[in-house]
Amino acid sequence: MTLVHELRSALPDVAVRDPSELGGPIWPGMTPEFVASPSSTEDVSRLLVWAAQEDLGVLAVASGSHADPVSDGRFVALDTSLLSGIEEYEPADLTITAGAGTRFATVDDALRENGQWAPFDPPAARDRSMGGLVSEAAHGSLWAGYGALKNHVLGATVVTGDGRVLRLGGKVVKNVAGYDLLRSVVGGRGRLCVLTSVCLRAFPLPPQERVLMISAASVAELIDSALAVGTAPVLPVSIVVAGPLEALDGRAALVVRLHGAESTVDADQAILETHVGTSFDRLTEASDGAARILSQLQDLGAVEDRCVEVSVLPSQLSGVVSAAADVGLGPMVVDSYAGRIRIGGSDLGVDPVGTLREAAEQAGGALRIVRWGRADFPTGTPQSMATAMLSERLESIFDPGGVLWPARS
Amino acid sequence: MATPRELTISSVMTQTLTPTIADRLRAIVGQNHVITHPDRLVAYESDGLTAYRVVPRAVVLPETTEQVSRVLAVLHGEGIDVVPRGAGTGLSGGALPTPDGVIVGTARMNRILSIDEQDRLATAQPGVINARLTEATAPYGLYYAPDPSSQSACTLGGNVAENSGGPHCLKYGVTSRYVTGLTVVLADGEVVRFGGAGTEAVPSLDLVGLFIGSEGCFGIATEIEVRLLPAPEGVRTLLGIFDTMEAAGRAVTDIMASGLMPAAVEIVDHATIVAVEASVFAAGYPIDAGAALVIEFDGTEAGLDDDADRAEQCCVAADAREVRRATSEEERLGLWKGRKKAFGAMGRIAPDLLVQDATVPRTRLPEVLARITEIGQEYDLKIANVFHAGDGNLHPNILFDRQNADELDRVEKASREIMSLCVSVGGTITGEHGVGVDKRGYMPLVHNEVELEMLRRARWVFDPNGNLNPGKVLP
């Protein structure tokens, strides 16, 4: 009896597909034994228990846009797309709960119908699944104003590697009833558990968004202005430098976003311009296609075959951006308030990335590989021995049998 | 769950520390910084939850990370339990001593180590008082956002241990949003570094986030790196007076649905108003009012009047009897007085006060408050409510006399009913005070046995022997 038949016999409610039906390999060089699509938390639990018995690894995927296995061995792809749909939404409570396989677009549309939103804007967000976003702790340029994704995840239902179902967090904004295991799951990249449901905090849509811009020939030329914005007496919700941008004929741009009432954003713009000592262009949808520029900012470099991310203190950004430019790395997006640089491209080389990592680490920062093919895989900054040991212990309590596939190095 | 009667000074025999161990500790922290005299130890017998009292075996007051490491190594080697303690303002008994344990206090670790104006970061020792950090960063136009009500006394280390909130966390979030890195001493004395601004790309699990709120069970944070915010240019404060709590609740719902983002939305109920107005903290709230609602906006000066106008319209639409607006800092403090001095005012009515803490979905507040009133009547207890209405965080305050055994019994029963009520509507047993010893018995209300076992294992990850703050959090 083949594995597929065994699974169908053991778990008749779990849909099973051959990987060839997916229309090509999702993971470079890696092919799962089959793709299983459970439609309930209970079936996820049963599938994990079954996989452990069969000595199979399990890799949870939804949109598949960020899965990137790095180890060899037999594994099953656990497709979460059937764990889909909004489970609970009470607009007056500003909370929404959805299945982990729910596309963010579904959640976003539901919120916006009620004048609300979830203020994080990672690359290609609308096409990605809730579980994938949370698993990656994916973030975008709204970090300055609204904080990291981890601040918006109020609760989750997860299944551990050995099939235990845990409800972590809750559905209220403030909750300190026990150790906050949810924090280690957000950004855990599937190392600890499989997410089956996620509860997010929603926010009222801002009454106004003002998008301000300065353009220049290169990203490096705009870093000082961006840092000046970041030390102004008012804090924009987003401060990003990116380039080259197609929408600007290959030039780079510093884009600043302000949220608030009309009078507030008027005043904030004046304060920023005084503080930075220059005037910004005010982008409007009608004349400048502001949405197109923001969309390019959100995705630039992130949807390429190869993508790396650097973190440093904002005060160290200039040196690291220069180092990247010196070795020809780009295009890049710089969140100057968070101190993060994203660089993507199909032609990123191992050596230039190594040089960038060295520059980042010398500046007290770090580099991680967001996505890369399996061949000539560069290495990112490792964690310390002490945190690695604690992380391993943590993994051992969530996944004592080592069933969950390490989706990333 | 241990009851207050079980954990009292009279019923628990405290072991003394052997001279040899005390001398080894004194050699690390200095002769005067190991307390073993019974008269001085009594000062550490409880934290802000005075219903529980246990005299510790000794108190050790280190000054540096290295001293904490060496102290914990000695105690770990001797198999002695350690109870970390900041200012002792916690309200869940998280710093309650164990009879055979030693308190490691952070009172001498009170230095701000650095302020980085460019990167808007500060690093401080755990014994730094919350409000002092904002005072120190004010000259740079910056401040530290989390503002627990006890911020003039509570410490950053305690804030990290409890993941503290405060009135203004409605807009700004709680402690975990602001802590970017920690230096932590584990139970065996090992010093580890979690996170750190600029190192987010290191592919580690979020150990900073996991450590925050661990109530002293995972380690002792000895250096805390936090993100600072630009101080808001202006502030507007309103006080809405309502005939009923239900009307005040409607105003809150309308304000939050309108797209406004207040910095704080706080309510005090009729019983609290009466208590405040009868005290030296009288704030001029009408004593026949059903509820008083404090709303505050901060940010760029130019937009604040618009925000305040819109909030006032929401109050009027919800049948507010009166809406006052502060026109000076003095008036602002006056409007806040009834909220901020509520606990002090209640302390003058009864010898003991149990400040409860729970969170419910905001839309369930009216029914939960009505039921809490009924519970008070059923158990013949005075319960006054003060709460962070914007995020559904309730603080039912139960007034009692712990010398009255019958009343104490009724307090325990009423507390359990209130907790069960909050959980039954989708809430939880604590929003910002932590579990400590007070709420261990309620943990099964929100976690099943599989989840509780997972929490026990999480504790093992950091402290395999379970010597750090035993008897806390887990039932």
Side-chain angles (χ1 to χ4, degrees), chain A residues 93 167 232 268 311 315 393, chain B residues 119-120 198 300 306 363 451 461:
Chain A
D93 284 332
R167 289 167 299 116
D268 285 352
S311 64
S315 57
R393 278 193 201 162
Chain B
D119 295 314
R120 291 183 169 169
T300 305
D306 286 350
T363 50
E451 291 158 357
V461 167

Side-chain angles (χ1 to χ4, degrees), chain B residues 84-129:
Chain B
R85 180 184 171 105
T89 56
L91 293 167
S92 62
L96 182 77
T98 58
D100 54 356
V102 168
I103 281 185
V104 175
T106 60
R108 295 174 64 226
M109 303 183 75
N110 57 4
R111 288 180 297 133
I112 294 171
L113 302 173
S114 65
I115 296 172
D116 177 350
E117 183 183 4
Q118 169 74 47
D119 295 314
R120 291 183 169 169
L121 296 167
T123 302
Q125 289 187 303
V128 170
I129 289 170

Side-chain angles (χ1 to χ4, degrees), chain A residues 165-213:
Chain A
V165 177
L166 306 174
R167 289 167 299 116
L168 305 179
K171 293 175 181 173
V172 287
V173 174
K174 290 163 81 177
N175 185 353
V176 290
Y179 312 129
D180 198 354
L181 293 173
L182 181 60
R183 295 281 82 81
S184 55
V185 169
V186 179
R189 300 197 179 91
R191 289 154 65 181
L192 302 181
C193 54
V194 177
L195 286 147
T196 63
S197 175
V198 173
C199 178
L200 283 184
R201 180 182 185 182
F203 287 72
L205 278 166
Q208 287 282 326
E209 173 167 87
R210 180 159 303 170
V211 183
L212 306 173
M213 187 181 83

Side-chain angles (χ1 to χ4, degrees), chain A residues 238-252:
Chain A
S238 172
I239 312 166
V240 172
V241 182
L245 290 170
E246 217 176 87
L248 296 176
D249 299 324
R251 287 171 66 79

Side-chain angles (χ1 to χ4, degrees), chain B residues 175-251:
Chain B
T175 299
S176 59
R177 180 168 169 180
Y178 294 92
V179 176
T180 52
L182 294 168
T183 298
V184 169
V185 181
L186 300 178
D188 61 359
E190 182 183 2
V191 179
V192 295
R193 175 77 185 160
F194 297 155
T199 66
E200 293 86 353
V202 174
S204 168
L205 297 172
D206 183 5
L207 296 177
V208 174
L210 179 56
F211 186 89
I212 294 170
S214 60
E215 302 199 25
C217 299
F218 288 1
I220 298 179
T222 57
E223 291 185 14
I224 301 164
E225 180 189 75
V226 299
R227 191 170 295 286
L228 305 169
L229 292 181
E233 185 183 29
V235 62
R236 294 292 183 277
T237 307
L238 308 173
L239 176 71
I241 303 294
F242 294 84
D243 289 334
T244 66
M245 180 62 75
E246 191 266 335
R250 273 205 321 272

Side-chain angles (χ1 to χ4, degrees), chain A residues 214-231 239-243 252-256 276 280 312-325 332-337 339-342, chain B residues 118-119:
Chain A
I214 305 173
S215 68
S218 70
V219 167
E221 292 173 55
L222 292 165
I223 294 296
D224 285 346
S225 295
L227 293 176
V229 172
T231 59
I239 312 166
V240 172
V241 182
L254 161 61
V255 176
V256 176
V276 179
F280 289 89
V312 288
L313 290 175
S315 57
Q316 304 298 312
L317 274 172
S318 290
V320 179
V321 167
S322 295
M332 71 177 83
V333 178
V334 181
D335 183 334
S336 64
Y337 197 75
R340 295 204 189 192
I341 306 167
R342 183 178 70 225
Chain B
Q118 169 74 47
D119 295 314

